């Protein structure tokens, strides 16, 4: 039972439990590794390690309010879902397009390189992909402010991790994290293309 397991934790572990669960609820995804801008390298995430050690207890706790937790050990991703579909991340049209571009770039890169789970990329490269795929018109590019808002949202939910540059800069570089594979499904991708065909260059 959850209560029995929880009472066996030390005071520090109880603090960690509260912090980790709140972080998970806020971000939806926890990754095995995070990019540390100070050391300029990927580092093991202690929150992920805590979840690994205590996943059964966390699962029991979340089930009380209709939440489930899943762990992809191969990709190093922990995610939560709500049985009542209440936690679906609502993303606007531009962010959906960016997510599609990120997923395309991630899967394309992983076909060539299987050693790591994250993919290093830049805003300039992503914009070029979106233009080539017809998702963004060359003469109707979104504003830097709009793009920055989408990038910031995606970092807040552990979909990308900024490496250098500001969110509004074309010099922005980041890691695409493996959680990208779980944020959008094929049905949503089809909706994006339907909207592009319907609205064309007026979509922004």
């Amino acid at each position: 039972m959850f209560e029995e397991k929880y009472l066996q934790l030390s005071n520090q572990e109880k603090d960690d439990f509260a912090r980790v669960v709140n972080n998970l609820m806020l971000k939806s995804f926890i990754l095995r590794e995070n990019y540390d801008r100070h050391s300029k390298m990927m580092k093991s995430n202690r929150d992920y390690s805590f979840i690994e050690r205590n996943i059964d207890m966390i699962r029991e706790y979340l089930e009380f309010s209709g939440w489930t937790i899943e762990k992809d050990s191969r990709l190093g991703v922990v995610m939560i879902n709500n049985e009542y579909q209440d936690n679906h991340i609502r993303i606007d049209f531009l962010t959906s397009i960016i997510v599609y571009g990120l997923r395309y770039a991630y899967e394309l890169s992983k076909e060539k390189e299987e050693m790591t789970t994250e993919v290093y990329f830049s805003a300039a490269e992503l914009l070029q992909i979106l233009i080539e795929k017809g998702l963004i018109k060359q003469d109707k590019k979104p504003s830097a402010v709009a793009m920055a808002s989408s990038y910031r949202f995606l970092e807040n939910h552990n979909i990308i991790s900024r490496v250098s540059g500001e969110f509004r800069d074309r010099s922005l570089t980041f890691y695409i994290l493996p959680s990208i594979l779980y944020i959008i499904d094929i049905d949503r991708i089809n909706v994006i293309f339907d909207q592009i065909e319907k609205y064309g260059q007026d979509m922004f």
Side-chain angles (χ1 to χ4, degrees):
M1 295 293 292
F2 164 74
E3 186 175 2
E4 294 175 357
K5 295 175 182 176
Y6 180 79
L7 290 175
Q8 292 175 5
L9 298 178
S10 66
N11 289 336
Q12 180 59 57
E13 288 173 327
K14 288 176 182 177
D15 289 342
D16 289 341
F17 178 88
R19 179 181 54 78
V20 169
V21 170
N22 275 281
N23 197 27
L24 182 59
M25 298 286 284
L26 179 66
K27 294 182 176 292
S28 301
F29 299 100
I30 298 292
L31 283 297
R32 180 165 52 215
E33 293 187 330
N34 286 338
Y35 180 74
D36 180 65
R37 282 195 288 273
H38 179 69
S39 62
K40 298 182 179 180
M41 61 185 295
M42 300 297 294
K43 286 192 171 182
S44 297
N45 184 357
R46 55 191 296 265
D47 286 0
Y48 183 94
S49 299
F50 182 88
I51 293 172
E52 271 198 316
R53 294 193 305 272
N54 299 283
I55 192 165
D56 290 337
M57 180 178 61
I58 294 172
R59 179 177 289 112
E60 290 175 11
Y61 173 78
L62 293 174
E63 283 176 352
F64 284 121
S65 51
W67 294 83
T68 61
I69 184 171
E70 299 176 40
K71 179 169 68 74
D72 185 329
S73 298
R74 182 177 64 88
L75 293 177
V77 179
V78 169
M79 70 211 82
I80 55 169
N81 286 290
N82 189 278
E83 294 177 1
Y84 306 105
Q85 307 298 310
D86 289 336
N87 77 312
H88 283 187
I89 299 173
R90 304 295 192 267
I91 56 178
D92 58 35
F93 188 53
L94 174 58
T95 306
S96 296
I97 288 174
I98 290 175
V99 165
Y100 170 79
L102 291 171
R103 179 163 177 170
Y104 175 84
Y106 184 88
E107 293 183 339
L108 190 64
S109 296
K110 296 309 292 179
E111 289 178 3
K112 303 175 183 177
E113 176 61 68
E114 298 181 355
M115 296 299 291
T116 60
T117 55
E118 64 281 340
V119 171
Y120 182 77
F121 221 64
S122 72
E125 290 174 303
L126 179 62
L127 184 60
Q128 187 59 39
I129 284 178
L130 297 179
I131 291 172
E132 290 176 355
K133 291 294 180 182
L135 297 169
I136 287 178
K137 301 293 183 181
Q138 180 72 49
D139 60 345
K140 291 282 290 184
K141 289 183 285 190
S143 70
V145 172
M147 295 290 286
S149 177
S150 293
Y151 284 131
R152 188 174 294 106
F153 175 89
L154 294 172
E155 183 172 66
N156 287 340
H157 286 279
N158 283 337
I159 307 302
I160 65 172
S161 183
R162 182 165 58 97
V163 174
S164 65
E166 299 300 323
F167 285 119
R168 65 173 61 197
D169 298 338
R170 288 197 63 182
S171 61
L172 170 72
T173 60
F174 50 83
Y175 280 110
I176 309 173
L177 303 175
S179 45
I180 189 66
L181 298 177
Y182 295 98
I183 192 176
I184 190 168
D185 58 27
I186 191 64
D187 291 335
R188 179 59 179 163
I189 290 174
N190 289 335
V191 168
I192 292 172
F193 279 108
D194 288 344
Q195 288 181 303
I196 290 171
E197 290 181 0
K198 180 178 179 180
Y199 296 111
Q201 64 180 7
D202 295 327
M203 55 190 174
F204 297 115

